């Protein structure tokens, strides 16, 4: 069995889709248990949203529990843009695993996310000069990957190209201008290394293992009643929802009076009733955030995900859904925590990062996840 630790929920699902694509059976869990019957076990954490101390504590515990299962290797799934507490998590996992070095390859050249000479580029623009990253990095962070994983780890980190001598210890960050580089790095992994990085590097590693592919059904039998929860603040995602709204699609934005007021219980119940009514009438509905700004409201992303989690739980108490589709890792994790869903079985990779899963605790509803910076596939984005 191969084990994977992901720092967010949609990233864990994306890894599940990669495993399916390569012919592996997959189980996605939110904690480590004893009995699994799968080729790839993915543990979904929420460490990207935690403090350094809490993130390191969780990674330490999960790594220790996974080692007891004696997997072939443990892969650390990071954000492809190096958001989150990359250095902090890798440092503690490296110590627990007893490995000498990390081979970190986060780039995804197929999506124009590349690392060249130690600089991270997106669409050939240095990441911190693009308008993509928002507020996901500390002020003053540069596009140099040694800077992006944390100042505390700069002295033990190295930006290396294929063909260069690999240091014996530390964090090795692979320059990855092309997809061929992903395969090259995958071919260099040995027992002294902790492999880490994005979904594309994991795909390259599985491709090197050359497992016989299984026949996986690509036909999508999408359920009748579906709720889309679009919690991402990524501008292109909000634009897609807005276009649906403009073409008279079923969209209900989070009311400002819920978002801006502390005492919003009644307003939430009113919004829930509107959501339930629309689903019963139209079958499919998007709930989303618009441009919401409120004076005195701090930690806006946290507030958004918590409100969505409360709302979705209340909706499911009143109406049965065939499909629940969630955009954004933090939003997804908050919702499944409120619903007490813990174990999942990825069944279909509908597009890169768009993964449809069976829920262990629920028989008649599928869960589909997508990172906020990815696009919904046309097969599910239909009204």
């Amino acid at each position: 069995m191969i084990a994977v630790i992901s720092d967010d929920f949609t990233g864990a699902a994306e890894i599940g889709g990669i495993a399916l694509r390569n012919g592996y059976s997959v189980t996605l869990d939110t904690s480590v248990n004893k009995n699994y019957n799968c080729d790839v076990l993915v543990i979904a954490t929420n460490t990207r949203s935690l403090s350094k101390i809490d993130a390191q504590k969780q990674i330490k515990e999960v790594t220790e529990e996974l080692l007891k299962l004696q997997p072939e290797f443990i892969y650390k799934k990071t954000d492809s843009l190096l958001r989150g507490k990359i250095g902090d998590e890798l440092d503690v996992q490296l110590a627990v695993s007893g490995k000498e070095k990390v081979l970190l390859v986060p780039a995804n050249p197929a999506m124009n996310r590349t690392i060249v000479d130690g600089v991270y580029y997106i669409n050939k623009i240095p990441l911190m000069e693009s308008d993509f990253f928002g507020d996901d990095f500390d002020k003053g962070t540069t596009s140099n990957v040694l800077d992006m994983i944390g100042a505390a780890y700069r002295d033990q980190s190295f930006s290396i190209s294929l063909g260069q001598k690999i240091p014996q210890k530390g964090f090795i960050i692979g320059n990855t201008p092309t997809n061929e580089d992903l395969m090259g790095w995958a071919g260099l992994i040995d027992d002294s290394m902790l492999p880490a990085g994005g979904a594309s590097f994991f795909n390259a590693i599985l491709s090197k293992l050359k497992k016989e592919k299984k026949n996986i059904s690509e036909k999508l039998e999408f359920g009748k009643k579906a709720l889309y929860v679009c919690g991402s603040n990524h501008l292109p995602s909000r634009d897609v929802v807005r276009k649906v709204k403009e073409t008279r699609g079923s969209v209900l934005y989070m009311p400002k009076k819920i978002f801006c007021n502390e005492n919003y219980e009644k307003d939430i119940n009113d919004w829930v009733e509107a959501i339930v009514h629309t689903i019963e009438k139209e079958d499919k509905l998007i709930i989303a955030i618009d441009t919401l700004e409120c004076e005195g409201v701090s930690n806006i992303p946290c507030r958004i995900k918590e409100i969505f989690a409360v709302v979705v739980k209340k909706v499911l108490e009143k109406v049965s859904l065939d499909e629940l589709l969630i955009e954004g890792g933090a939003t997804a994790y908050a919702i499944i925590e409120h619903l007490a869903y813990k174990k999942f079985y990825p069944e279909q990779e509908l597009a890169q990062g768009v993964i449809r899963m069976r829920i262990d605790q629920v028989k008649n509803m599928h869960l589909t996840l997508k990172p906020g910076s990815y696009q919904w596939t046309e097969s599910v984005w239909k009204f």
Side-chain angles (χ1 to χ4, degrees), residues 56-212:
Q56 287 188 318
K57 179 182 178 182
Q58 186 173 8
I59 292 299
K60 180 177 183 294
E61 293 174 351
V62 170
T63 303
E64 289 173 340
E65 291 301 310
L66 283 176
L67 287 172
K68 294 177 184 177
L69 301 180
Q70 298 182 323
E72 295 177 43
F73 63 90
I74 300 176
Y75 183 80
K76 179 63 172 70
K77 165 66 170 68
T78 70
D79 177 58
S80 64
L81 295 176
L82 291 176
R83 292 170 292 189
K85 300 160 186 68
I86 306 296
D88 297 329
E89 294 184 26
L90 290 174
D91 189 50
V92 69
Q93 187 174 345
L94 190 65
V96 173
S97 300
K99 303 290 185 180
E100 297 175 355
K101 51 186 171 286
V102 174
L103 178 57
L104 173 61
V105 185
N108 183 354
M111 294 184 69
N112 295 315
R113 302 177 183 190
T114 59
I115 299 174
V116 181
D117 296 330
V119 177
Y120 204 116
Y121 294 89
I122 183 164
N123 297 320
K124 299 183 179 181
I125 300 172
L127 179 59
M128 298 303 162
E129 297 175 22
S130 72
D131 58 358
F132 189 88
F133 62 90
D135 299 321
D136 293 323
F137 295 92
D138 293 335
K139 186 176 180 180
T141 301
T142 74
S143 300
N144 188 307
V145 293
L146 302 184
D147 187 21
M148 293 170 69
I149 66 168
Y153 306 99
R154 192 178 182 95
D155 291 343
Q156 68 192 66
S157 302
F158 308 88
S159 173
I160 301 293
S161 295
L162 283 170
Q164 292 182 311
K165 184 178 179 181
I166 297 178
Q168 293 299 309
K169 294 184 179 181
F171 296 173
I172 293 93
I173 307 171
N175 287 316
T176 318
T178 68
N179 284 315
E180 288 71 22
D181 290 282
L182 287 171
M183 297 300 293
W185 288 119
L188 295 180
I189 294 172
D190 60 34
D191 290 339
S192 71
M193 294 178 177
L194 168 64
S200 293
F201 186 40
F202 186 68
N203 181 55
I205 293 171
L206 295 190
S207 297
K208 285 285 186 180
L209 297 178
K210 296 181 179 178
K211 182 180 176 66
E212 183 179 350

Side-chain angles (χ1 to χ4, degrees), residues 20 26-28 37 343-348 356-361 366:
L20 286 178
V26 192
T27 297
L28 192 158
N37 182 24
K343 186 182 291 186
F344 311 84
Y345 306 99
E347 291 187 341
Q348 291 173 295
R356 188 167 179 256
M357 306 186 291
R358 182 165 49 87
I359 306 167
D360 188 60
Q361 292 89 346
H366 278 81

Side-chain angles (χ1 to χ4, degrees), residues 113 141 151-152 209 227 243 257-258 300 321 340 360 362 370:
R113 302 177 183 190
T141 301
L209 297 178
L227 175 64
K243 289 177 182 178
K257 58 184 177 181
I258 292 177
I300 289 176
L321 295 175
D360 188 60
V362 181
K370 181 189 78 66

Side-chain angles (χ1 to χ4, degrees), residues 251-263:
V251 178
L252 290 178
Y253 283 115
M254 183 186 296
K256 190 169 184 177
K257 58 184 177 181
I258 292 177
F259 185 73
C260 295
N261 297 328
E262 291 295 333
N263 300 317

